[in-house]
Structures are given as structure tokens and as C-alpha cells.
Amino acid sequence: FLSEETKTIESNCSEMKILGEQRKTLFLLCFIAVCGAVAKENRKGGRPNGGKYHRAISKTIQTEDGDIFDCIDIKSQPALDHPLLRNHSIQMEPSSHPIGLDGNSIPDTTLESSIHLVSCPLGTIPIWRSEQHYPIVDIKELTQQIYTRNITRNNKNNTASLAGLSRGQDIYGTTVSINVYDPEVYGTQDKSGGLTTIISGYSFDREHTNAVGVGWFVWQSNGGDKAARFHIFYDNGQKQCFDLKCPGFIHTSPNIPLGGKLSPISKYDGPQAHMNTFVYQDTNSNWWVKFGKESTVVGYWPGELFGYLKSKGTVGYWGGLVEGPTIKYKPPPMGSGHPASEGDGKAAYVKNIKIVTRDHQLVTPMSREFDVAVENPKCYSVAHKSDQDGGVHANWGGSGDCTL
């Protein structure tokens, strides 16, 4: 892994014949120089994931939009480093599929926002070589806010805000189409996006809430740019994590990368595009993620990771989220940056919401079963909650740049 620059420094150091304290001093200086050269290589992306893992790379892929992905053996992926998964056998397909799921489950002609696929060899999975590896996350605050649905608090201490729909009934999965925009986010550590998440445990154990979620985010400290990217996240009550940044999610697809840029992106009062996602629990208690109209398997969170979510979810959320340290004094735009009252084409939306029930049925719920969840109505809003042929629909978003 060392460059010629590093090897030259080591060689020069070894050739020095200086005795006593001078030799010790020179050795220390050479050691610092070598470490600096290695660090320089890591910053350049010389090792995948910033040198965080040392797994064999079978192939490196650079996409047309400049992202770099390393293909590693599926059996050596980060998930299996989790102490709860040391004896886990990777499952390539769900043990069950909800009744009612078919190719026409998302009957929509709107543009689909998708990821630039990669071609990793069979038996490997892609890992995004992002320069940033441990961005700030606050999934706990998100779950707390969702559980206070129908209450608008305007809490000035919050570093997160949401606007969408929530449903406080047992839930075993959901399909949804989430409108994709690329709002202007001010702080590098702040993020703005659209997502769906399933949560369990809050009502009786607020400190150890479980959650799984899928969505898109504009998040500069994570991706190094202001592009809308596909992300997943989970919280098992002890650890909060996005994508493959830490052990947990088992990635099975050799073609769909986590963190990939989404395209096309919706334009205000112009063409609209959304990403189609499906998250559900199979009969082995694993929570699966599928992507696109064809419901292609991306991977899953094993049931062993969870306490409360191992049996079921108790609340779902569909809509927008902004989160980060600068939100207290300069909330960023959410969705299209326009209020929900402007409707489709101008305000972001979630639609085609369906629910998986306890008996593994994919059903279309009624919009009256959903609550409007808005953390800061001065900044963001939800409107046009309605029943449509493909499932429940609502608009969400706002300009931000307001006083919380």
C-alpha cells in the first residue's frame, strides 16, 4: 500500500549511520515522515474507506459521475464484524415475500430516479470510496420527533426537523415513491432529504429505540458534494449507522451501491422524478431493502441486530427531514424548497404508500390512518394528504431560512 515516496523515505532512513541520541532523533523524524506519507495516501483514496478496512479488493470501478466503488468479497463485508453476526449465514433472498407484491405494485408513469449501477463480480459487493467516513448523525432525535406526531413543538434546541406522514400502528413493511430533489444545504455537516423509516420501542423504552430507514439525502460531509444520494440507516438502540459505515447491514447486490448518486432529479415546475423503495420483514425477522420499480434486492438488516424490531415495527414515517448543527439558526430548504400547499410539480411528495401487515399482506391503507407530522410549521409544511389508486399521497417541504 506504500507509494514510491514512502519507500524512498524509508530507504533513506535505513541508510543513515548516526549513533547515540542523534540517531534516535533521526529515527523519530523518519517515523513521523513515513506516517505522514501514509496518511497522505489515505487522503488521496489509496485505500478503500480511508484505510478503515483491509479487505481484498477484486475490482475498482469509477462511474461516469466520478464516484469510486471497490468490489470486495461478500463474506468479508463490514456487517459480519458485528459481534451479534459472527455466526450469521448470509441470506441472498428473503425467506418470504408479501402477498400482493407484483410487477404492477407501483403503477406510476412518473420518471424514476435511479442509481448508476456498477458491475461487481458475482460473490462481491460494492463499497463506496467516500472521503468522509463518520459524519454526524442523530437518528434518535428523528425517532423521538416521529413519536410526537400531531404535536408541533418549535423546540429551539433541536438539530433536526421533519415534515411528512406518520402512522402509529403495527407495521411489517412499506412501499413508497419518494420525490427526489437536490435542495441547497448550507452547512457541510447538515443534510436534507426524503425518507421512509420504521420504528419500534419508543413508547416503553425511549433510550433503546430500534429503527430502519431508506431515503435520499443531500449531505456534503458524507459525500463531498451536494448531490442527492441513496442512503440507508439503522438504529438498534446502541448504535446508529448509515450505509456500510459500521457493521450491521448485509449488502447482497453486486450492482446497486449504497451512497450512489440519484438521477434524474426533479425540477421545480418541471419534470418530476422519484425513487421507489420497499422495506419489509421476512419470516426470519430480517428487514429487507428493495430498490426501483422492479423491487431489486439490495440487502437486509438481520433480525439478530434488534430487540423490539425483531418482532415488528410500531410506527412508520414517510416524508422529509433536515438535520445538522446549523439548523438551529439557519434551517435549510426541504424537498423542492417550496411549501406543500403548492402541490405536485412544485412541492415534493410521497405517494404510492402501501403497508405490509402481520399476515404478510401488502395492502393499501386509508389516508385517515395517517397523521401529519410537522416539527416546525414556521419552516415546513404537509398538505394534500389523500387516497390515490397507487396508495396514500401527501406533499411536504418548505423554504427553511426561518426562525425556529
Side-chain angles (χ1 to χ4, degrees):
F1 290 104
L2 297 181
S3 67
E4 292 303 318
E5 176 187 355
T6 307
K7 293 176 181 177
T8 300
I9 294 171
E10 287 184 319
S11 177
N12 290 340
C13 290
S14 64
E15 291 174 3
M16 294 293 182
K17 304 296 183 180
I18 300 176
L19 300 176
E21 293 303 319
Q22 289 181 334
R23 185 174 181 179
K24 292 179 182 179
T25 302
L26 183 59
F27 176 81
L28 178 59
L29 292 174
C30 289
F31 177 78
I32 294 171
V34 170
C35 291
V38 172
K40 182 179 179 181
E41 286 182 30
N42 288 344
R43 288 195 297 271
K44 291 179 179 178
R47 298 185 191 180
N49 216 24
K52 185 76 175 99
Y53 61 83
H54 45 276
R55 309 173 190 337
I57 299 171
S58 62
K59 184 179 180 180
T60 296
I61 300 170
Q62 183 167 3
T63 63
E64 294 177 359
D65 50 23
D67 286 342
I68 297 175
F69 296 92
D70 293 305
C71 303
I72 68 166
D73 190 307
I74 191 172
K75 294 180 181 179
S76 66
Q77 63 178 294
L80 300 179
D81 292 340
H82 197 292
L84 296 175
L85 302 180
R86 286 172 182 164
N87 298 317
H88 182 83
S89 296
I90 294 176
Q91 192 174 319
M92 295 304 294
E93 290 288 337
S95 62
S96 62
H97 301 274
I99 301 170
L101 177 66
D102 53 44
N104 298 318
S105 62
I106 304 177
D108 202 292
T109 58
T110 309
L111 290 173
E112 182 175 27
S113 189
S114 191
I115 307 166
H116 193 291
L117 301 181
V118 298
S119 297
C120 281
L122 290 177
T124 69
I125 55 112
I127 292 188
W128 177 28
R129 193 185 291 183
S130 168
E131 292 196 7
Q132 304 294 332
H133 310 290
Y134 291 96
I136 294 173
V137 297
D138 197 348
I139 299 171
K140 286 294 184 193
E141 187 168 327
L142 167 65
T143 59
Q144 291 170 5
Q145 291 173 0
I146 290 171
Y147 265 89
T148 57
R149 59 194 182 278
N150 272 340
I151 301 175
T152 53
R153 294 178 296 172
N154 281 322
N155 189 338
K156 293 183 179 181
N157 294 320
N158 286 344
T159 59
S161 190
L162 56 86
L165 300 179
S166 66
R167 182 178 182 269
Q169 301 179 33
D170 289 354
I171 180 172
Y172 298 81
T174 181
T175 63
V176 62
S177 300
I178 308 173
N179 205 190
V180 179
Y181 276 90
D182 53 357
E184 182 69 23
V185 178
Y186 308 126
T188 58
Q189 293 183 354
D190 297 333
K191 57 181 172 284
S192 179
L195 70 151
T196 181
T197 184
I198 295 174
I199 307 166
S200 186
Y202 182 88
S203 59
F204 39 87
D205 186 359
R206 298 188 180 190
E207 296 301 318
H208 300 94
T209 310
N210 293 177
V212 293
V214 179
W216 62 264
F217 293 98
V218 174
W219 190 4
Q220 189 172 354
S221 68
N222 186 46
D225 56 31
K226 296 184 178 181
R229 294 176 176 272
F230 172 62
H231 293 292
I232 63 165
F233 58 90
Y234 87 98
D235 180 359
N236 70 351
Q238 297 177 336
K239 182 178 287 293
Q240 305 172 41
C241 190
F242 273 76
D243 300 339
L244 303 179
K245 304 294 185 186
C246 61
F249 184 79
I250 293 184
H251 198 172
T252 60
S253 172
N255 307 121
I256 300 178
L258 301 176
K261 293 179 184 177
L262 289 160
S263 179
I265 302 298
S266 300
K267 302 297 182 183
Y268 175 75
D269 202 18
Q272 299 297 296
H274 58 235
M275 55 176 275
N276 297 301
T277 67
F278 188 18
V279 182
Y280 76 96
Q281 186 180 49
D282 68 8
T283 53
N284 287 339
S285 298
N286 300 323
W287 286 92
W288 288 84
V289 174
K290 295 185 176 184
F291 183 85
K293 287 185 177 180
E294 303 302 320
S295 290
T296 304
V297 170
V298 179
Y300 64 98
W301 293 280
E304 298 98 301
L305 290 174
F306 303 107
Y308 304 119
L309 263 181
K310 189 169 185 177
S311 59
K312 64 182 178 181
T314 54
V315 168
Y317 174 77
W318 304 259
L321 168 73
V322 294
E323 192 273 331
T326 67
I327 286 174
K328 295 179 182 179
Y329 58 87
K330 192 174 179 65
M334 180 190 290
S336 69
H338 289 256
S341 59
E342 294 190 22
D344 289 352
K346 296 183 178 180
Y349 61 77
V350 286
K351 63 181 179 180
N352 302 326
I353 299 174
K354 293 188 177 184
I355 300 297
V356 179
T357 62
R358 182 177 182 179
D359 56 357
H360 299 284
Q361 298 274 349
L362 182 66
V363 302
T364 303
M366 303 297 292
S367 60
R368 64 172 178 266
E369 299 174 20
F370 292 74
D371 297 316
V372 170
V374 180
E375 176 68 14
N376 290 294
K378 293 179 181 179
C379 307
Y380 312 109
S381 58
V382 176
H384 306 298
K385 182 180 73 166
S386 63
D387 298 299
Q388 294 187 357
D389 292 341
V392 176
H393 168 282
N395 293 104
W396 51 273
S399 61
D401 198 17
C402 56
T403 302
L404 297 183

